[in-house]
Amino acid sequence: MTSFAPDSIVLNRKLPLWYQVSQSLRASILGRSPRDPLRLPTEEQLAGHYGVSVLTMRQALKELEDEGLITRHRRRGTFIEPHARRGSPVRLLGSVDAIVAQQSGMKAELLDHGTAPVPSELAEYFPRVPEVALYHRLRCDGKTGEPTNHARNYIRPELAGRIDLDDLVRWPMTKVLRDVVGMDISRITDTVEARLADPETARLLEVPLLSPILHYTGITYDTDGRVLDVAVIHYRGDRFSFTVTLDAT
């Protein structure tokens, strides 16, 4: 039986390897074609593919099993759950590769783009910049089409001419800035808070007005400490949870 072939990833040795592997494999599973096989390679084969130990690979697979994306059967192997619809945990830990992987598996629709004054609450991130490039997108579950979040990205205006709108439909802004625009990203800081859905968010995410949502702000910095992007995202509260992992080392 032919096995599913996951994508590769460049591992960051400063972060837990099992976490990076689980997120990469998760993105491959969510982005798979319906024609792809459901059976995964063996633990040993996957460990060799990612360049990690079998123990690390086993921990990564346990994470995906707990999420409901795979099932494991003694003697038969590990299989992708084709109809899994678990709410996706959005984690506050990861390399840029892991963040890109986390955002994969969703279909995006560009709702609007153009220039806009810097919102007062974001002025500290764009000193002496009167206007920014603004991109507003709606993301949906890649399999069901159900809306999951809508995002506004506030970008330094000099970068707008290097961003292809077609890329924003296919990829997260983080990947576009790093791999297409060619920016050196040093870090991304995240803030999450609970809010109630305003009329626009309720309409876009197809949830009742004033229902719980997760309000996320992500600040992307280059190696000079300059802010490249401020992402403001509203997630459906019934589809996402946030997990923070603290490394004792």
Side-chain angles (χ1 to χ4, degrees):
M1 178 184 296
T2 303
S3 296
F4 176 70
D7 296 331
S8 298
I9 187 174
V10 178
L11 296 174
N12 183 338
R13 296 291 166 175
K14 295 182 180 179
L15 295 170
L17 297 181
W18 68 265
Y19 167 75
Q20 297 177 73
V21 169
S22 71
Q23 292 305 292
S24 176
L25 186 53
R26 178 182 182 278
S28 296
I29 290 172
L30 292 178
R32 61 180 285 275
S33 165
R35 298 182 297 276
D36 288 338
L38 293 177
R39 184 172 187 169
L40 288 179
T42 65
E43 287 182 352
E44 291 78 10
Q45 290 169 331
L46 286 171
H49 173 77
Y50 287 109
V52 298
S53 69
V54 172
L55 185 62
T56 295
M57 193 66 238
R58 193 168 296 157
Q59 189 174 3
L61 291 172
K62 179 63 165 58
E63 175 83 356
L64 299 181
E65 184 179 27
D66 291 344
E67 190 179 335
L69 289 179
I70 62 173
T71 55
R72 311 181 74 187
H73 305 277
R74 185 181 297 274
R75 299 188 185 91
R76 290 181 53 211
T78 302
F79 295 83
I80 298 169
E81 282 291 330
H83 304 299
R85 290 188 57 194
R86 285 284 302 274
S88 304
V90 180
R91 300 177 181 277
L92 304 186
L93 169 69
S95 64
V96 173
D97 282 312
I99 291 171
V100 169
Q102 182 69 53
Q103 297 171 343
S104 300
M106 296 182 189
K107 296 173 62 177
E109 175 188 355
L110 184 63
L111 300 178
D112 190 22
H113 72 280
T115 59
V118 177
S120 58
E121 65 271 20
L122 304 182
E124 63 179 294
Y125 303 115
F126 297 104
R128 299 178 298 281
V129 177
E131 287 189 329
V132 289
L134 172 60
Y135 302 89
H136 185 199
R137 288 174 295 169
L138 177 67
R139 294 194 185 103
C140 299
D141 185 288
K143 296 185 182 299
T144 68
E146 181 183 49
T148 59
N149 67 83
H150 76 97
R152 284 186 170 90
N153 290 88
Y154 300 87
I155 306 291
R156 299 192 70 85
E158 63 269 24
L159 302 179
R162 298 156 63 184
I163 294 176
D164 189 321
L165 298 182
D166 289 338
D167 289 338
L168 292 181
V169 175
R170 294 184 294 166
W171 296 323
M173 182 63 80
T174 305
K175 179 176 177 65
V176 172
L177 289 175
R178 185 192 64 177
D179 298 343
V180 179
V181 179
M183 304 306 298
D184 292 325
I185 296 175
S186 64
R187 71 184 192 279
I188 300 174
T189 62
D190 305 296
T191 303
V192 183
E193 58 184 302
R195 291 193 180 180
L196 301 179
D198 57 31
E200 179 192 41
T201 296
R203 175 179 61 82
L204 290 173
L205 300 187
E206 300 177 5
V207 297
L209 183 65
L210 301 182
S211 60
I213 62 167
L214 295 174
H215 177 87
Y216 162 93
T217 304
I219 317 297
T220 300
Y221 297 84
D222 67 9
T223 52
D224 294 325
R226 184 181 62 159
V227 171
L228 301 174
D229 169 37
V230 177
V232 179
I233 308 176
H234 289 160
Y235 291 92
R236 281 181 58 148
D238 62 343
R239 289 295 310 277
F240 289 90
S241 63
F242 279 76
T243 301
V244 180
T245 302
L246 300 179
D247 188 347
T249 59

